[in-house]
Amino acid sequence: MTVPVVNAFINFSTGPAFAQAMILNQGILDTNILADAASVIVDVSEQIDYITTNRGRQAEADQFQTGTLSLRIVDQNGDFNPQNPNGPYFGLLSPMRKVQITATYAAVTYPIFSGFITSYSTTTPQNASDVVYTTINAVDAFRLAQNAQIATVAGTSAGQLSGARINNLLDAIDWPASMRDIDAGLTTMQADPGTARTALNAMQVVETSEYGALYVDASGSFVFQDRALTASSVAGTATEFNDDGTDIAYNNAVWILNDVLVYNQANVTCSGGSVQTAIDQASIDKYFLHSYNQQNLLMQTDAVALEYAQAYVASRAETTVRCDAITLDLYTDNYNSGIIAALSLDFFNPITITTNQPGASTLTKTLQIFGVSMSISPNLWKVTFTTLEPIIEAFILDYSELDTGVLSY
């Protein structure tokens, strides 16, 4: 049985970039970063005891959350004791140093997590004085944006598209241009309010005003997708999973039918505007009132705020059974296609899950991946995809196609 090889690297250099530093007259252009000294990058792959990662979108909050990593390594030499003057990392162990997890399979290396260390925790099991475990906890760049307070932001004038605004906000916290994947956007913004807030909050207001998506990918880059991409990506070719052996096998699937994602009234207000309301009375009659509220968004007009409200209700007025999560066991025999899917699929990729039920019935649904978590140890590698309906339905992508006023079906 061939399984992926997990790689773990700690980069003790400062700054956000994960690449090796390039000293003048050395290094590789477009690969390394310019610095006055080489980074101290440590490969701790052979010391891994276990790894857990979690990245994704929280359904109720309707936004992507800070990604997290827990990496436990076996430290038999006291290398990660910050008070060990003979340790190879003495003077280097500090919070906010960088850590990366990758996986290599069939000569391809896939990013798993890239982030910044928040803590080193050392434990010694009872009756095992020669074995020490150091658990390294880390978060992705969302945490850095949450820690950064901003006020006035240069270049943020009225009429600016949402993608340009995101870039200005990333400029304000000196985020490298090489670590961004920013769509142009479809919605024009009001002038930035210039109020005291976190950089993350400012970017998430733009994300919501666009009806787009903002997250940090597995390689550590900020990604901003406008509503065109978030809507159309579900129409791509879906990776198919089935428990009957016809497609990629899976270890477990969780199916659910609930009202958590139902919204049949939306009240949306742009900064300086009046409340714009859209409702779906048929949905209210069926599920009772489920309200969604957003205030102080940055679209320029009440008309666009109304279109946002209408699009939101149109996407969420109904609910059906869905697969909430699917788990893949990479230690399954003859699992080449499953391993490649587990390591390559990420946010917004469409997948079709089929679960065969008693009575010759099935549960089948095509959804998008909105969360990826992994549990890795020497004898275990499981990947769980959490899935959701599209953020915005493709048929209502163009706001101008929506009628003004109350939605009806």
Side-chain angles (χ1 to χ4, degrees):
M1 178 174 59
T2 303
V3 296
V5 175
V6 64
N7 315 295
F9 301 94
I10 299 172
N11 185 330
F12 288 111
S13 67
T14 58
F18 291 88
Q20 173 61 278
M22 181 178 71
I23 306 172
L24 290 177
N25 299 319
Q26 302 179 37
I28 305 171
L29 288 173
D30 297 325
T31 299
N32 302 130
I33 57 171
L34 191 63
D36 58 4
S39 305
V40 178
I41 299 178
V42 179
D43 185 346
V44 295
S45 305
E46 298 299 321
Q47 298 169 260
I48 294 171
D49 183 54
Y50 73 72
I51 294 172
T52 59
T53 66
N54 188 32
R55 306 167 43 247
R57 187 180 186 91
Q58 210 280 332
E60 287 82 359
D62 211 16
Q63 285 182 324
F64 286 93
Q65 306 296 303
T66 300
T68 60
L69 162 74
S70 181
L71 163 65
R72 190 165 86 163
I73 60 177
V74 180
D75 183 12
Q76 293 179 299
N77 301 313
D79 292 346
F80 285 87
N81 177 357
Q83 294 185 344
N84 178 8
N86 298 316
Y89 318 131
F90 183 69
L92 296 174
L93 296 169
S94 171
M96 291 293 108
R97 298 294 77 88
K98 291 163 284 196
V99 59
Q100 272 193 310
I101 308 298
T102 63
T104 302
Y105 181 73
V108 178
T109 297
Y110 301 87
I112 302 299
F113 182 89
S114 301
F116 303 85
I117 296 170
T118 55
S119 68
Y120 308 81
S121 176
T122 300
T123 57
T124 303
Q126 189 176 11
N127 302 321
S129 58
D130 292 334
V131 177
V132 171
Y133 295 104
T134 296
T135 301
I136 294 172
N137 292 309
V139 293
D140 68 19
F142 255 31
R143 168 74 176 272
L144 304 188
Q146 178 62 35
N147 289 344
Q149 290 285 324
I150 62 170
T152 303
V153 179
T156 54
S157 58
Q160 183 180 41
L161 282 170
S162 54
R165 179 64 53 84
I166 293 289
N167 274 318
N168 285 145
L169 294 167
L170 290 171
D171 289 343
I173 60 173
D174 296 322
W175 193 257
S178 61
M179 297 176 66
R180 309 180 191 183
D181 181 4
I182 310 298
D183 286 349
L186 300 174
T187 302
T188 55
M189 300 288 108
Q190 299 181 28
D192 184 78
T195 54
R197 64 247 137 101
T198 70
L200 181 59
N201 174 261
M203 288 190 287
Q204 288 178 328
V205 169
V206 176
E207 170 197 20
T208 304
S209 301
E210 167 65 36
Y211 209 151
L214 175 76
Y215 58 90
V216 174
D217 68 16
S219 65
S221 294
F222 273 95
V223 179
F224 174 67
Q225 295 183 355
D226 63 29
R227 64 178 179 272
L229 188 55
T230 59
S232 62
S233 54
V234 74
T237 302
T239 301
E240 297 189 5
F241 297 88
N242 199 314
D243 63 354
D244 68 357
T246 59
D247 296 306
I248 299 173
Y250 55 84
N251 184 251
N252 188 43
V254 179
W255 291 87
I256 191 168
L257 173 60
N258 62 19
D259 70 337
V260 168
L261 302 181
V262 171
Y263 288 98
N264 43 41
Q265 180 191 63
N267 305 301
V268 177
T269 311
C270 64
S271 181
S274 57
V275 178
Q276 303 298 306
T277 300
I279 66 170
D280 186 307
Q281 190 59 51
S283 175
I284 294 172
D285 293 342
K286 187 174 182 179
Y287 301 115
F288 301 100
L289 185 64
H290 291 60
S291 296
Y292 170 81
N293 297 284
Q294 285 287 350
Q295 300 177 350
N296 297 316
L297 297 184
L298 292 177
M299 63 277 288
Q300 290 189 286
T301 67
D302 283 345
V304 176
L306 176 61
E307 290 164 350
Y308 177 100
Q310 292 173 320
Y312 199 91
V313 169
S315 293
R316 290 165 171 77
E318 269 298 338
T319 187
T320 61
V321 66
R322 69 180 188 278
C323 184
D324 208 38
I326 182 172
T327 299
L328 312 182
D329 184 352
L330 274 57
Y331 274 70
T332 302
D333 289 334
N334 302 314
Y335 203 50
N336 180 67
S337 59
I339 291 172
I340 293 172
L343 299 179
S344 61
L345 295 176
D346 205 71
F347 305 150
F348 293 98
N349 287 146
I351 61 175
T352 300
I353 308 108
T354 300
T355 299
N356 292 274
Q357 297 285 288
S361 63
T362 60
L363 288 166
T364 300
K365 198 68 180 282
T366 297
L367 299 157
Q368 286 179 302
I369 293 173
F370 279 99
V372 182
S373 63
M374 297 195 184
S375 296
I376 307 167
S377 68
N379 297 305
L380 176 143
W381 194 318
K382 290 189 176 181
V383 177
T384 298
F385 295 132
T386 53
T387 57
L388 289 169
E389 303 280 2
I391 292 176
I392 180 172
E393 299 288 354
F395 78 92
I396 56 171
L397 171 62
D398 185 355
Y399 285 161
S400 65
E401 294 180 0
L402 291 168
D403 295 331
T404 57
V406 176
L407 290 176
S408 59
Y409 293 88

